Amino acid sequence: MTETERAADAIRRRIRTIPDFPKPGIQFRDITTLLLDAEGLRLAVEQMVASVEGPVDLVAGIEARGFVFAPAVALALGAGVLLVRKDGKLPGATIAEDYALEYGTDRITIHADACAPGARVLLVDDLIATGGTARAAVRLLRKAGATITQAAFVVDLPDLGGADALRGDGIAVHALVDYAGH
């Protein structure tokens, strides 16, 4: 077993599965148990950092759990942190991107001056499922002039297609662990 495989196994053991949450048939992958464990958190951050190719100017964390990982990854990479927020959460001038939900739409925003044109940005979040929010974040960051070619997640749910959709958008996707199903 490689060091990466050992780390993935250790991370997986620290993620709790809660059946039928938030509705019947869903297997909720709860990272709070990973966050409670200092060694698990350290491993997750180290593995995210190790997945990054080339220099990064900013690490963009998606609200809310992406905010947990973005600062730690950014510190290790010598980069700043850019917050991707839900609409209405940021003061001052913002730019926004709408995206589809199962029943309706939602919107994410960043400060209009958060990203200099050409900034090399890594997108970070806890989980990639259908990819709707992550793909909207990529569009938003590109609208701001960012160069974004990679994303890192703790968990991938590959059956839901989000990572493949991001790859179709030209993003190299790295996830520490994956789980079949929902």
Side-chain angles (χ1 to χ4, degrees):
M1 184 179 282
T2 69
E3 186 61 33
T4 300
E5 291 168 333
R6 278 192 290 281
D9 186 52
I11 290 165
R12 182 183 304 281
R13 286 193 316 268
R14 289 168 167 92
I15 296 172
R16 164 174 59 186
T17 298
I18 300 174
D20 299 319
F21 183 83
K23 61 184 185 178
I26 301 294
Q27 299 293 313
F28 187 84
R29 307 306 176 171
D30 180 18
I31 65 153
T32 62
T33 48
L34 173 69
L35 298 175
L36 287 167
D37 184 282
E39 177 65 11
L41 179 57
R42 183 190 64 75
L43 278 170
V45 170
E46 284 178 355
Q47 292 301 303
M48 289 177 119
V49 169
S51 74
V52 176
E53 294 186 19
V56 170
D57 300 310
L58 296 169
V59 177
I62 298 174
E63 187 170 347
R65 289 177 300 270
F67 292 0
V68 172
F69 295 98
V73 171
L75 283 171
L77 294 173
V81 175
L82 188 158
L83 302 180
V84 179
R85 303 283 326 251
K86 294 176 183 174
D87 193 32
K89 301 285 186 172
L90 291 172
T94 61
I95 58 175
E97 183 70 25
D98 294 329
Y99 61 101
L101 299 170
E102 188 175 359
Y103 300 104
T105 61
D106 209 346
R107 174 178 282 191
I108 54 173
T109 63
I110 62 173
H111 278 121
D113 62 356
C115 180
R120 298 162 296 190
V121 177
L122 167 69
L123 183 65
V124 169
D125 205 359
D126 69 318
L127 184 137
I128 180 81
T130 64
T133 307
R135 293 182 77 203
V138 167
R139 291 191 306 272
L140 178 59
L141 293 163
R142 287 178 173 163
K143 186 188 300 185
T147 300
I148 177 163
T149 60
Q150 53 189 326
F153 303 91
V154 176
V155 175
D156 179 17
L157 303 178
D159 294 348
L160 297 180
D164 285 339
L166 271 179
R167 289 182 189 100
D169 294 337
I171 303 297
V173 177
H174 180 76
L176 306 183
V177 297
D178 60 31
Y179 292 91
H182 297 91

